[in-house]
Amino acid sequence: MKNYNHPKYKKGCPAYCPAALFIGGMTVKRKGKGNLVGYAFVLPAVIYMLVFIGYPIVYNWVISFQDATAFTLKDSGRAFIGFSNYKAIFSDPTFAHAIQHTFIYTIGCLVIQFTIGFLLAMFFAKKFTFAKPIRGLVVISWMLPVTVTALVFKFMFSQDSGIINTLLMNLHIIDEPIGWLLNGGTGMAVLIIANSWVGIPFNMLLLTTGLNNISTDVYEAASIDGATKRQQFFKITLPLLKPTIMSTLVLGFVLTFKVFDLVYVMTGGGPVDSTEVLSTYSYKLSFQQFQFGQGAAAACVLFVCLFIVALIYLKTISTSEVD
């Protein structure tokens, strides 16, 4: 039996009257039911992440410490060999070249696609008649499958019948066809150009969205105060666009650093490993040389690099929010 003489049930204290307690209990029950419904909607995505992303990552880490080859991959009791796979790839000169090429490729692509994407975003942020149709045409390159893009650029830069060599020779810039993809330096440059062609619309879309979210009232107030366009750009646009810029750079780094299909279709990592990157190096170890343990170790190195970038991004974002 409840003691309604208790202070919490006294008249004039509606928060603790029996009716209020009943309504409060019903509210808690409804909230709990709402949480269960929310969990039910999230559960399929969580299961998908665990099965198709979480399990492969964990399995990859496991076999990177095992003697996993074509002969032992199906064995349940594969020998644990510690860091032998990592020692093997770190002692391989091709691995060092793959890391170097991956960073060169990534940084080159980021510089080109972010710079041009930012300029296009500033251009399309202006209100003019054909802004949307032209922006739609620019986005087509991003919507195409990467394999199609790779094949197009491979044919464009081919030595015998490529349109680039034909155009340069007709303009009398070169005297004989250049083997763009048969030379390490030019091969990497062509890969950077091809990926930048895909990444420029992606950067443009993200940066355009960030620019549109900046209120025009801020610029009007700055103009009234006598601020020039240059001052508005460096004092208003860039500071307010900083979160969007950081997100664009990090996403661009992740998407570019883990590239596989573009490089594999255009050059296959050649000639003589001059365009080898971490993803193609891991693929060749696993599915051409059937050294699955070493291929998994190379993939883990790629994972660690991307994980470090993600941590730096989260640290930067948290610091900017505190400021």
Side-chain angles (χ1 to χ4, degrees):
M1 186 69 182
K2 294 183 179 179
N3 182 15
Y4 291 103
N5 292 322
H6 193 274
K8 70 178 182 179
Y9 297 112
K10 286 184 178 180
K11 189 176 181 180
C13 186
Y16 294 99
C17 68
L21 290 175
F22 176 76
I23 295 172
M26 292 295 294
T27 303
V28 171
K29 290 181 179 179
R30 288 177 180 175
K31 288 183 178 179
K33 186 177 180 180
N35 290 336
L36 291 177
V37 173
Y39 292 145
F41 278 108
V42 173
L43 185 61
V46 174
I47 295 174
Y48 175 86
M49 295 286 288
L50 291 175
V51 174
F52 293 101
I53 297 178
Y55 173 74
I57 291 176
V58 173
Y59 181 75
N60 188 79
W61 277 98
V62 170
I63 65 174
S64 69
F65 295 101
Q66 295 177 340
D67 181 22
T69 62
F71 300 101
T72 62
L73 185 63
K74 290 187 177 181
D75 296 342
S76 58
R78 291 186 296 269
F80 177 80
I81 57 176
F83 290 94
S84 297
N85 289 323
Y86 291 91
K87 293 178 181 178
I89 63 173
F90 276 101
S91 60
D92 185 5
T94 306
F95 176 74
H97 295 156
I99 292 180
Q100 181 182 1
H101 297 156
T102 303
F103 277 99
I104 292 174
Y105 173 82
T106 303
I107 294 173
C109 290
L110 284 181
V111 171
I112 295 175
Q113 65 191 26
F114 179 81
T115 302
I116 300 178
F118 187 80
L119 293 175
L120 289 176
M122 295 290 293
F123 175 72
F124 287 115
K126 308 291 184 181
K127 305 299 181 182
F128 59 94
T129 306
F130 298 103
K132 292 182 178 179
I134 297 175
R135 185 167 56 188
L137 291 175
V138 174
V139 175
I140 290 177
S141 63
W142 180 58
M143 297 174 64
L144 287 175
V146 178
T147 305
V148 174
T149 301
L151 289 173
V152 169
F153 274 87
K154 184 176 182 179
F155 291 134
M156 286 174 58
F157 284 91
S158 64
Q159 183 175 1
D160 298 327
S161 58
I163 189 174
I164 301 299
N165 280 331
T166 302
L167 181 62
L168 293 177
M169 291 179 67
N170 290 336
L171 294 174
H172 302 288
I173 297 176
I174 59 176
D175 297 326
E176 57 183 15
I178 299 174
W180 298 98
L181 299 176
L182 302 178
N183 181 276
T186 56
M188 180 60 71
V190 172
L191 289 175
I192 292 174
I193 293 172
N195 188 77
S196 298
W197 189 72
V198 177
I200 286 172
F202 175 75
N203 284 256
M204 180 196 69
L205 288 175
L206 293 181
L207 294 171
T208 301
T209 303
L211 288 171
N212 291 333
N213 289 332
I214 300 176
S215 176
T216 56
D217 296 337
V218 181
Y219 294 103
E220 292 176 359
S223 299
I224 294 173
D225 292 338
T228 63
K229 294 294 184 181
R230 179 186 178 88
Q231 290 173 333
Q232 292 178 23
F233 177 77
F234 286 101
K235 299 295 183 181
I236 297 176
T237 303
L238 286 183
L240 294 179
L241 204 61
K242 182 181 177 181
T244 305
I245 292 175
M246 288 298 302
S247 300
T248 303
L249 289 176
V250 171
L251 288 174
F253 185 93
V254 171
L255 294 174
T256 307
F257 197 84
K258 67 180 184 65
V259 66
F260 171 77
D261 40 12
L262 187 75
V263 177
Y264 188 77
V265 172
M266 291 186 66
T267 65
V272 197
D273 301 329
S274 58
T275 59
E276 194 81 84
V277 292
L278 278 175
S279 57
T280 57
Y281 177 73
S282 175
Y283 175 84
K284 289 179 179 179
L285 284 176
S286 298
F287 301 107
Q288 291 183 3
Q289 302 178 20
F290 303 107
Q291 296 291 335
F292 296 104
Q294 295 181 19
C300 289
V301 173
L302 177 62
F303 174 83
V304 170
C305 293
L306 295 177
F307 185 72
I308 292 174
V309 172
L311 291 180
I312 295 174
Y313 169 71
L314 293 175
K315 179 65 177 178
T316 305
I317 292 298
S318 61
T319 304
S320 62
E321 289 178 351
V322 171
D323 295 339

